[in-house]
Amino acid sequence: MDNQAKSSGASSFTSAMNLDQQGVSSIPQRYVLPPSQRPNIIHHDEHVLPLPIIDLSDFHDQSRRYQIINEIRNACKEFGFFQVINHGIDQSAINEALKAAEEFFNLPHEEKMCLFSDDVHKPVRYGTSLNHARDEVFCWRDFIKHYSHPLSDWLHLWPSNPPSYRKNMGNYAEAVQDLQTKLMEMIFESLGLNPSYLEEEVNGGSQLLAVNCYPACPEPELTLGIHPHSDYGSITVLLQTRSGLEFKNKNNNWEAVPLVEGGLVVQLGDQMEVLSNGVYKSVIHRATVNVDKKRFSIVSLHSFAMDKKIGPAKELVDDDHHQLPKCYNEFSFSEFLHFISNNDITKERFLDTLKIMK
């Protein structure tokens, strides 16, 4: 780590994991949210549909494929996310990745700090919060983030300790990359597009793996593991070890996402909302923490290439008849990174800057 990082961001960095290991009985002020932003009682709206769980087995059977595509369409319109089971990733690959994550976060604090950075453009970085340099309130989590596709381009930059990290996390990253290709085909088909729509861009896109540890928290009612936000990319595939993920539903209430054994959560990001011209919405979500046990998640964020401009699919725009006017301007992943480097995304959504006012 360079001297500038040591003298600025690193000197003010407080690891949630470190605080947990110290056995603190209260959280530092920098983690305490204003009363209006603190997690509260979850509202369960009786008229909201059950949270969707989609079985991907027998997908190549034509009648089953039609049913799955319809389930995905309904889930994307109603929720902006769904869970998948029988998704094709071996449980052993999942278990080994989670084991590697736990071993990494159990490393000495000083060793992890060698990867600390405030720079959101860094290909590998350890930290907390959403934007450590700008956030007024920190998140009660530690993370290691690294680019992952193509794996051969990035693997040598990943943590070399624990010794199994690169192999086991890399196997999982590649399996999720294959799954997202299949999921993108299904989501495109659910929009009425060709399943191979933007095939080259999907295959050549970016994958960022965010491996999170949410330690047990002595005052979980005062803070969050991650603040409300939507993801920037096309889709996000999330693995969690226990419940804690929540999303904001159409009634503006928070709903808990249950832990499904063997399941993975699929969330739509801002790129998908723009590409669908608003037919599908990116999902606003957050992570809560608890007083008893730590929670791990491995979040695979998929987007198009860094400088690839994404706008509404022309098939989903009909400006001439004013039925489906273009609702969003184009944007790229690099423009999003520039935005979060200079703004607090808990106060302003990047997506809102792209909307075309009619």
Side-chain angles (χ1 to χ4, degrees), residues 71-169:
E71 290 175 3
I72 287 176
R73 181 184 302 110
N74 292 337
C76 290
K77 283 186 174 181
E78 182 67 25
F79 299 101
F81 90 98
F82 51 92
Q83 298 204 60
V84 291
I85 57 174
N86 296 318
H87 40 67
I89 300 180
D90 289 341
Q91 189 62 43
S92 60
I94 291 174
N95 293 342
E96 291 297 326
L98 289 171
K99 181 181 177 183
E102 184 170 9
E103 290 175 348
F104 171 81
F105 289 111
N106 284 334
L107 291 174
H109 177 68
E110 295 74 20
E111 184 171 353
K112 290 178 289 187
M113 285 300 293
C114 292
L115 298 168
F116 174 84
S117 178
D118 282 339
D119 184 357
V120 298
H121 296 88
K122 286 280 188 181
V124 179
R125 65 187 182 103
Y126 169 69
T128 185
S129 203
L130 290 169
N131 184 341
H132 175 84
R134 290 191 172 271
D135 291 351
E136 295 178 3
V137 179
F138 287 179
C139 301
W140 190 262
R141 69 155 179 173
D142 288 5
F143 69 73
I144 177 73
K145 294 182 179 181
H146 40 65
Y147 289 111
S148 306
H149 179 73
L151 190 62
S152 58
D153 286 357
W154 305 108
L155 191 63
H156 67 286
L157 299 173
W158 288 16
S160 57
N161 199 24
S164 64
Y165 187 90
R166 292 179 178 178
K167 177 178 182 291
N168 292 341
M169 197 64 72

Side-chain angles (χ1 to χ4, degrees), residues 236-299:
T236 297
V237 181
L238 180 146
L239 166 67
Q240 58 178 345
T241 57
R242 56 185 292 136
S243 59
L245 176 66
E246 297 178 356
F247 76 100
K248 186 169 280 191
N249 65 24
K250 288 184 174 181
N251 297 324
N252 219 33
N253 291 327
W254 289 104
E255 287 278 333
V257 178
L259 180 68
V260 174
E261 192 69 31
L264 296 170
V265 179
V266 181
Q267 300 172 172
L268 301 188
D270 294 344
Q271 285 183 344
M272 188 60 70
E273 178 167 337
V274 169
L275 189 149
S276 73
N277 201 32
V279 176
Y280 295 163
K281 303 294 186 184
S282 58
V283 61
I284 297 176
H285 55 284
R286 68 183 187 183
T288 59
V289 291
N290 70 87
V291 74
D292 298 317
K293 293 182 179 179
K294 65 170 65 79
R295 170 179 173 263
F296 295 96
S297 70
I298 303 178
V299 183

